Amino acid sequence: MKIVMRILGIAILIAIGIGFYFRIAEDDIVTGDRIIGIAVLAASFVLMPIFLVVRWRGKKLEDYTLSPKNMKKMREKGID
């Protein structure tokens, strides 16, 4: 999964670079904007969920929330 993330991330960066190339060098602003927009959408709706799944796999969400149990542990340690 990490390899897929890296390949997808590199592909998105290349697509953004190509989009800016079309905007600047080719003077085709509409095509450049479309390429950049599709790359940003792919980063938001494909790469970000994959990243979140990879990073949160095997972790307990309860360790990172302020539940009454965690608040009690913090008070016992002297962290307010």
Side-chain angles (χ1 to χ4, degrees):
M1 191 64 86
K2 288 183 182 182
I3 295 172
V4 171
M5 266 187 6
R6 286 183 182 167
I7 292 171
L8 191 58
I10 291 169
I12 289 170
L13 289 175
I14 290 171
I16 291 172
I18 290 171
F20 278 112
Y21 172 77
F22 272 98
R23 281 185 56 96
I24 295 169
E26 298 292 326
D27 290 329
D28 192 1
I29 295 174
V30 175
T31 304
D33 283 346
R34 285 184 184 159
I35 294 171
I36 293 169
I38 290 169
V40 169
L41 285 174
S44 300
F45 293 111
V46 178
L47 184 63
M48 184 63 70
I50 292 173
F51 173 78
L52 292 174
V53 166
V54 168
R55 295 300 294 171
W56 280 92
R57 186 176 294 158
K59 294 182 182 175
K60 291 186 251 177
L61 184 60
E62 150 184 320
D63 293 340
Y64 301 99
T65 56
L66 287 176
S67 64
K69 181 175 122 182
N70 288 342
M71 293 294 288
K72 182 180 176 184
K73 275 196 243 180
M74 287 172 52
R75 285 193 184 108
E76 288 172 358
K77 290 183 179 180
I79 303 171
D80 288 331

